[in-house]
């Protein structure tokens, strides 16, 4: 067992004006319970927890039963589950991409998929153009599409944003990726511009992960929400190019790829047409079905309509349909789900002694790995109004090893929740350490970001290899992300204690943490009267 540090819980009680008698017994996080949850969720029986598989049925049943066993109320009316209508789209991998005279091999040199609900995608004799970073950002006075008509064309672009390339903190955000550097944004903007295809050039440093992550994440079945037009407005071809394949493309065009990349990072860059045409055809099989988010509610005693959310996505990459490899996702994110269940146990036990003023909603969403799909559905169809959600605490991979003298902070000067993190860490005698890989854009890569888009501020708790350098290159999004009985789990206990301090404070103090930097998130929150 690992208890809250006594000074932390006592200080919290004093801050909240709660009698020491009411909070005399320090809540404890049970290492064996954590171990059992992780081992079960990351077992081969669950098949990698792919949405719309038997692994989903097992996962959501497990989480819902744990919530019910802890006495949580259903979080969606009288149900623990929130249906998420989506499509499972599987592209035939026997595809070949030709770029001019260059023929590329699927998987090793490129990937391609679509979110359109259609039996066939055909890119035929599409003109190609290099559009730098593929960014249109008025607040940075930047538009790679200025004066350019790319309707029906294939746009080729660099990953990340110009700030990373220049390392100038006055240029975008320097080394720290902005949302404009994320692949999701690049595809969205290419679709708005009317492009037929977007090919993002992968570079390991700029992307924050190796090519293997791209290949594993884009060559199997993918999931998407479906609109009334069967996603006809989505980008037809969402592609990646291996860096070596991109170099061949530019060499074919008699262009210096490195020199063009340098130029693309400077203001005033003009897009460069590429000779030759792009051709690609692949068939899709589509299965329409319902996936599910899981929601359990701990009602508040005074202002139950105001809600603090504690969250971890339950899904992972499932089982590879071609080679049978199971992607069990033990750290990403069976540890997070285990943490949410254990936080629910500890906080509900504390609530029985002294109810929290606000409600706490424990959630576990589907299809995060495919693009925050379950979170996006919840944000669009919340079970409580978004204007009533105080904050969103999101766990996406936990420290399974020994306790540390620091906690990671993702983002800097983003919201007042950073102060909550600072205070909770100090109460544990820990320091706050800035994101060691801001170029990876982790602030935009997990479920809290879907909630940020509707104005809800959040904190990301993620430990993906910060104290284990082997994890990212050898286990992240790979079959090797398996449960290990040798894990000490002391880091999990330590971080869950910190999260409980933050959650309890938010659930009792009546504050509405504000966005600090100017953004669409801040504007949205202001519309709700919470900024």
């Amino acid at each position: 067992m690992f208890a809250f540090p006594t000074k932390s819980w006592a200080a919290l009680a004093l801050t909240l004006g709660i009698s020491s008698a009411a909070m005399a017994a320090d809540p404890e996080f049970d290492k064996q319970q954590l171990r059992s949850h992780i081992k079960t969720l990351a077992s081969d029986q669950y098949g990698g927890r792919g949405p719309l598989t038997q692994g989903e049925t097992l996962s959501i049943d497990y989480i819902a039963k744990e919530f019910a066993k802890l006495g949580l109320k259903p979080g969606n009316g009288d149900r623990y589950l929130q249906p998420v209508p989506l499509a499972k789209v599987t592209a035939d991998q026997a595809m070949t991409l030709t770029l001019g005279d260059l023929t590329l091999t699927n998987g090793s040199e490129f990937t391609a998929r679509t979110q359109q609900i259609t039996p066939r995608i055909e890119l035929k004799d599409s003109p190609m153009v290099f559009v730098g970073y593929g960014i249109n950002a008025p607040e940075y006075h930047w538009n790679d599409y200025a004066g350019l008509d790319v309707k029906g064309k294939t746009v080729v672009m660099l990953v990340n944003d110009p700030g990373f390339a220049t390392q100038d903190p006055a240029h975008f955000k320097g080394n720290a990726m902005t949302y404009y550097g994320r692949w999701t944004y690049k595809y969205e903007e290419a679709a708005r511009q009317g492009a037929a295809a977007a090919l993002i050039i992968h570079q390991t440093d700029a992307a924050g992960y190796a090519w293997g992550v791209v290949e594993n994440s884009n060559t199997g079945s993918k999931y998407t929400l479906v609109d009334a037009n069967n996603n006809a407005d989505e980008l037809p071809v969402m592609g990646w190019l291996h860096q070596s394949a991109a170099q061949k493309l530019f060499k074919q065009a008699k262009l210096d790829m490195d020199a063009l990349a340098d130029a693309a990072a400077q203001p005033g860059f003009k897009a460069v047409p590429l000779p030759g045409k792009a051709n690609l055809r692949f068939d899709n099989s589509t299965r329409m079905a319902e996936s599910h988010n899981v929601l359990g509610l701990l009602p508040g005693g005074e202002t139950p309509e105001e809600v603090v959310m504690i969250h971890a996505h339950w899904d992972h990459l499932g089982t590879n349909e071609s080679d049978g490899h199971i992607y069990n996702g033990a750290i990403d994110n069976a540890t997070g789900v285990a943490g949410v269940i254990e936080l629910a146990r500890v906080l509900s036990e504390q609530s029985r002694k002294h109810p929290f003023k606000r409600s706490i909603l424990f959630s576990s969403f589907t299809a995060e790995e495919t693009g925050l799909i379950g979170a996006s559905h919840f944000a669009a169809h919340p079970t409580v109004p978004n204007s009533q959600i105080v904050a969103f605490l999101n766990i996406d991979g936990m420290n399974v090893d020994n306790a540390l003298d620091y906690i990671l902070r993702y983002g800097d000067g983003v919201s007042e929740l950073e102060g909550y993190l600072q205070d909770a860490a100090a109460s544990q005698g820990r320091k706050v350490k800035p994101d060691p890989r801001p170029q990876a854009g982790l602030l935009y890569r997990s479920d809290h970001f879907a909630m940020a888009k509707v104005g809800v501020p959040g904190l990301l708790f993620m430990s993906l290899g910060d104290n284990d350098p082997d994890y990212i290159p050898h286990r992240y999004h790979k079959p090797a992300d398996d449960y290990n009985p040798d894990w000490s789990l002391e880091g999990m206990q330590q971080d869950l204690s910190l999260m409980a301090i933050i959650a309890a404070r938010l659930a009792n103090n009546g504050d509405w943490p504000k966005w600090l930097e100017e953004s669409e998130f801040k504007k949205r929150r202001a519309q709700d009267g919470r900024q």
Side-chain angles (χ1 to χ4, degrees):
M1 296 281 194
F2 179 91
F4 280 101
T6 303
K7 65 175 181 178
S8 298
W9 199 246
L12 181 63
L14 182 63
T15 299
L16 300 177
I18 299 171
S19 70
S20 58
M23 302 180 75
D26 285 346
E28 297 177 325
F29 289 95
D30 189 328
K31 186 185 293 187
Q32 292 310 118
Q33 288 284 346
L34 290 169
R35 195 175 297 282
S36 176
H37 295 321
I38 300 168
K39 185 177 180 180
T40 299
L41 291 164
S43 66
D44 285 353
Q45 180 187 2
Y46 280 58
R49 303 187 307 283
L52 308 185
T53 68
Q54 179 64 17
E56 165 165 354
T57 301
L58 292 171
S59 298
I60 63 176
D61 285 352
Y62 183 90
I63 299 164
K65 286 176 180 176
E66 289 297 321
F67 284 173
K69 186 167 65 176
L70 295 172
L72 300 183
K73 305 295 184 184
N76 183 27
D78 60 355
R79 307 169 66 187
Y80 288 98
L81 303 182
Q82 180 190 40
V84 180
L86 52 77
K88 178 181 180 181
V89 182
T90 306
D92 183 354
Q93 295 302 298
M95 66 174 84
T96 299
L97 173 65
T98 61
L99 305 176
D101 295 329
L102 187 65
T103 299
L104 301 179
T105 301
N106 181 37
S108 61
E109 293 185 299
F110 82 96
T111 68
R113 62 184 181 92
T114 189
Q115 292 184 162
Q116 293 188 354
I117 309 303
T118 180
R120 174 170 291 180
I121 289 289
E122 186 163 12
L123 186 67
K124 187 173 183 180
D125 292 333
S126 172
M128 297 183 289
V129 57
F130 174 63
V131 294
Y133 284 89
I135 292 172
N136 179 13
E139 67 270 38
Y140 290 107
H141 309 289
W142 196 280
N143 186 0
D144 287 320
Y145 292 99
L148 190 63
D149 182 2
V150 297
K151 290 181 175 61
K153 296 180 181 179
T154 294
V155 291
V156 180
M157 63 192 67
L158 299 163
V159 73
N160 212 310
D161 62 45
F164 175 79
T166 63
Q167 294 292 294
D168 180 356
H171 199 38
F172 282 68
K173 288 190 176 181
N175 189 51
M177 183 189 288
T178 66
Y179 182 53
Y180 295 111
R182 287 286 293 142
W183 59 266
T184 49
Y185 164 79
K186 294 175 186 290
Y187 292 145
E188 291 165 2
E189 186 60 38
R192 284 190 287 269
Q193 297 288 337
L199 303 176
I200 301 173
I201 299 170
H202 175 266
Q203 295 168 301
T204 297
D205 289 345
Y209 39 81
W211 175 257
V213 174
V214 174
E215 182 177 0
N216 291 337
S217 299
N218 290 278
T219 54
S221 297
K222 303 296 289 184
Y223 306 91
T224 180
L225 295 172
V226 182
D227 63 23
N229 296 317
N230 283 331
N231 299 348
D233 293 331
E234 296 278 356
L235 186 67
V237 177
M238 305 161 65
W240 285 84
L241 287 179
H242 192 283
Q243 186 173 7
S244 63
Q247 288 170 337
K248 293 177 184 177
L249 173 63
F250 283 90
K251 184 177 181 180
Q252 172 184 260
K254 296 181 171 55
L255 294 169
D256 185 326
M257 178 175 156
D258 292 337
L260 269 180
D262 289 342
Q266 301 302 321
F269 172 77
K270 300 296 183 183
V272 177
L274 299 173
K277 302 293 175 66
N279 287 274
L280 174 70
R281 187 176 74 175
F282 58 88
D283 294 332
N284 290 310
S285 61
T286 304
R287 175 188 168 198
M288 308 294 290
E290 277 187 348
S291 190
H292 298 85
N293 295 331
V294 190
L295 301 157
L297 183 68
L298 180 62
E302 294 185 17
T303 53
E305 71 281 2
E306 298 176 0
V307 175
V308 176
M309 291 190 67
I310 300 177
H311 173 78
H313 73 87
W314 60 256
D315 67 299
H316 197 58
L317 302 181
T319 301
N320 188 292
E321 296 168 4
S322 61
D323 60 23
H325 287 147
I326 302 173
Y327 293 73
N328 281 319
I331 289 177
D332 180 16
N333 191 29
T335 59
V337 178
V340 166
I341 294 171
E342 188 64 1
L343 278 164
R345 182 186 68 79
V346 164
L347 292 173
S348 60
E349 286 179 359
Q350 188 59 51
S351 180
R352 284 191 283 272
K353 301 169 189 173
H354 192 91
F356 296 107
K357 295 177 181 179
R358 288 167 159 164
S359 298
I360 302 177
L361 183 61
F362 299 90
S363 61
S364 193
F365 294 162
T366 183
E368 186 268 357
E369 299 291 4
T370 304
L372 321 184
I373 290 175
S376 296
H377 180 78
F378 180 87
H381 307 280
T383 58
V384 295
N386 288 321
S387 61
Q388 295 299 107
I389 300 175
V390 178
F392 189 85
L393 309 182
N394 177 29
I395 311 173
D396 195 354
M398 299 200 72
N399 173 21
V400 295
D401 295 316
N402 297 328
L404 300 170
D405 65 355
Y406 65 87
I407 183 77
L408 292 177
R409 182 196 66 228
Y410 294 94
D412 185 13
V414 176
S415 84
E416 290 180 344
L417 287 173
E418 294 166 23
Y420 282 74
L421 181 67
Q422 182 71 48
D423 292 346
S427 74
Q428 290 186 320
R430 304 167 74 185
K431 60 180 179 288
V432 173
K433 176 181 172 182
D435 179 3
R437 297 187 298 130
Q439 71 275 14
L442 295 174
L443 191 63
Y444 313 103
R445 285 169 53 181
S446 194
D447 281 341
H448 65 283
F449 184 61
M451 298 304 297
K453 285 183 173 181
V454 294
V456 179
L459 282 176
L460 171 62
F461 298 93
M462 178 183 283
S463 180
L464 293 182
D466 181 64
N467 61 319
D468 179 6
D470 177 72
Y471 181 76
I472 293 295
H474 298 122
R475 284 178 284 152
Y476 175 61
H477 280 204
K478 294 182 174 65
D481 188 1
D482 279 323
Y483 168 74
N484 185 341
D486 294 332
W487 288 337
S488 74
L489 303 189
E490 291 174 4
M492 282 190 70
Q493 293 173 309
Q494 180 191 37
D495 287 344
L496 291 172
S497 294
L498 180 144
M499 294 173 205
I501 293 169
I502 295 173
R505 182 180 171 192
L506 288 166
N508 274 322
N509 66 5
D511 288 349
W512 292 88
K514 292 179 171 55
W515 294 97
L516 297 176
E517 65 180 6
E518 295 301 323
S519 66
E520 290 301 315
F521 319 142
K522 183 176 181 179
K523 293 176 184 176
R524 181 61 183 266
R525 197 63 161 177
Q527 291 172 3
D528 291 334
R530 300 299 186 191
Q531 186 64 37

